[in-house]
Amino acid sequence: MKPIAPAQIDDQVIRFARIALKGVPEWIEVEPLEGSVKTECFDNVDRAIRAHGGKAIMGWVIWEKPGVWLEAEHHAIWEEQDGAWRDVTPTVDGEPRLVFVPDEEAIRTHPRFGLPTRYASISKDPVAINAIKKAQKLMEVRAEILAAGGISPKLMPKAQLAHERFIKALEAIDAKLAGQAKVENDDTPK
């Protein structure tokens, strides 16, 4: 199961935003401009500014892996000349709005990649906690690669190992969630 936009800005989302991101979450409408590309928020915002003026607002989009974790992905939105905020990047799954936390300190440090994703557990399940640890390790290795100016022969094995461990942990939590869903469905009165 892929992370999705939270259904609501509840206490967990507010607490995560306040502690991990030092900000306040708010809904932002997704209104892509013609030519905007999925997953390319920085380039999309740069194009919007060149074409229409305004400025970039840096921050984080909060995603939820329901029952498992919250994650904050580095993101940019566009502030139009009239001050209105607009997310000009189409989402992978077509979400019409996202939870955004502005953060003026979340500056773009690499021309292609954002800052490392941040995670917070919303589960006490050991399998979920292990998946979060592996995700955090993968983000640490990614930050090391970016700081070094790119992947090097020395960093490649470390990056591959972190990625493989994260994928295995993610498969484990997905299998557990699928098993729980099957049990719940089997228990449903017919």
Side-chain angles (χ1 to χ4, degrees):
M1 169 190 262
K2 291 178 5 182
I4 60 173
Q8 60 185 348
I9 299 177
D10 60 14
D11 289 342
Q12 284 183 318
V13 171
I14 292 168
R15 189 172 40 257
F16 176 54
R18 188 182 73 241
I19 294 168
L21 309 172
K22 312 279 188 271
V24 177
E26 56 189 274
W27 292 110
I28 185 81
E29 298 300 316
V30 178
E31 304 174 60
L33 293 177
E34 186 176 333
S36 290
V37 178
K38 294 176 183 178
T39 74
E40 299 294 331
C41 65
F42 304 115
D43 292 342
N44 294 332
V45 169
D46 288 347
R47 271 194 302 282
I49 293 167
R50 281 193 305 276
H52 306 286
K55 67 179 186 175
I57 302 295
M58 304 304 283
W60 306 89
V61 169
I62 295 180
W63 299 102
E64 179 180 13
K65 188 162 182 72
V68 181
W69 70 56
L70 293 171
E71 65 182 71
E73 178 184 22
H74 191 208
H75 194 66
I77 63 171
W78 176 45
E79 181 178 270
E80 298 178 65
Q81 288 186 347
D82 67 1
W85 286 7
R86 179 174 170 186
D87 190 342
V88 296
T89 302
T91 60
V92 173
D93 292 322
E95 291 89 350
R97 67 181 186 165
L98 299 173
V99 177
F100 181 73
V101 180
D103 181 356
E104 61 188 36
E105 294 180 13
I107 58 171
R108 188 175 176 184
T109 59
H110 189 276
R112 294 287 309 139
F113 303 106
L115 297 172
T117 300
R118 299 173 185 181
Y119 296 86
S121 178
I122 56 176
S123 171
K124 295 187 184 331
D125 185 301
V127 177
I129 292 168
N130 183 54
I132 291 169
K133 286 179 183 176
K134 300 303 184 207
Q136 286 294 158
K137 181 62 179 173
L138 182 60
M139 289 300 111
E140 290 169 17
V141 171
R142 183 172 167 233
E144 189 177 342
I145 290 167
L146 292 176
I151 193 75
S152 67
K154 179 181 174 187
L155 287 173
M156 183 60 84
K158 188 175 187 178
Q160 287 175 325
L161 181 61
H163 179 75
E164 289 167 8
R165 287 180 174 167
F166 171 66
I167 295 301
K168 284 181 183 173
L170 194 57
E171 288 169 349
I173 191 61
D174 284 344
K176 186 165 192 170
L177 291 171
Q180 289 171 348
K182 183 179 181 333
V183 167
E184 289 170 8
N185 289 338
D186 289 347
D187 290 344
T188 305
K190 308 261 188 248

